[in-house]
Amino acid sequence: MDGMNHDHGSMSPPMSMNNTNNTGTMMHHHNMMHMTFFWGKNSEILFSGWPGTRSGMYALALIVVFVLAVLVEWLSHCKLMKPDANHVAAGLIQTLLHAIRVGLAFLVMLAIMSFNGGVFLVAVAGHTFGFFIFGSRVFNKSSPPPKTSDLPPMSC
């Protein structure tokens, strides 16, 4: 056991048909996934190849993440159902709204997992702006009602 060399650092990965060209030589792919925060417009957010390397598409991606975060806050604080609504219908609508809210929140989380600093900042800004508009007392003209939303608060 002591004579065995367990250093696998110099071993090459096995060649597969997906990584070889017609001559059998290995083609190298330079796809890099960041595991720490970085700054720059060259990143992939939510979808493979999106937004790419163009500044306009990166700005669009930031706007999309911001809007998704605002929508999560709106769904967390909106009151769409009337108190006298049918309990079954209200329960189904509540469940659908909850599923949409969680799905949007997961999309924001996945966008943040690109580890792009700009995406992180616009996600926080979107949640902050959404809470300011829909959840804070700034725009409430009356005292807060006992139930401020159709959905329970998000919890981790």
Side-chain angles (χ1 to χ4, degrees), residues 26-68:
M26 189 80 144
M27 293 180 1
H28 296 282
H29 298 283
H30 296 287
N31 293 339
M32 186 170 88
M33 187 170 110
H34 291 273
M35 296 306 289
T36 59
F37 279 104
F38 71 98
W39 297 97
K41 64 179 177 58
N42 299 338
S43 63
E44 286 188 350
I45 303 168
L46 296 177
F47 305 104
S48 179
W50 189 69
T53 58
R54 297 188 351 227
S55 297
M57 291 303 290
Y58 179 68
L60 177 65
L62 295 180
I63 291 168
V64 167
V65 172
F66 182 86
V67 169
L68 287 173

Side-chain angles (χ1 to χ4, degrees), residues 73-109:
E73 290 299 322
W74 176 70
L75 285 171
S76 296
H77 297 95
C78 71
K79 189 150 174 61
L80 300 174
M81 292 183 285
K82 297 179 181 173
D84 59 344
N86 179 317
H87 290 294
V88 174
L92 291 173
I93 291 170
Q94 218 175 5
T95 302
L96 177 65
L97 289 173
H98 176 73
I100 292 169
R101 179 180 68 173
V102 169
L104 292 175
F106 282 158
L107 282 175
V108 173
M109 178 199 63

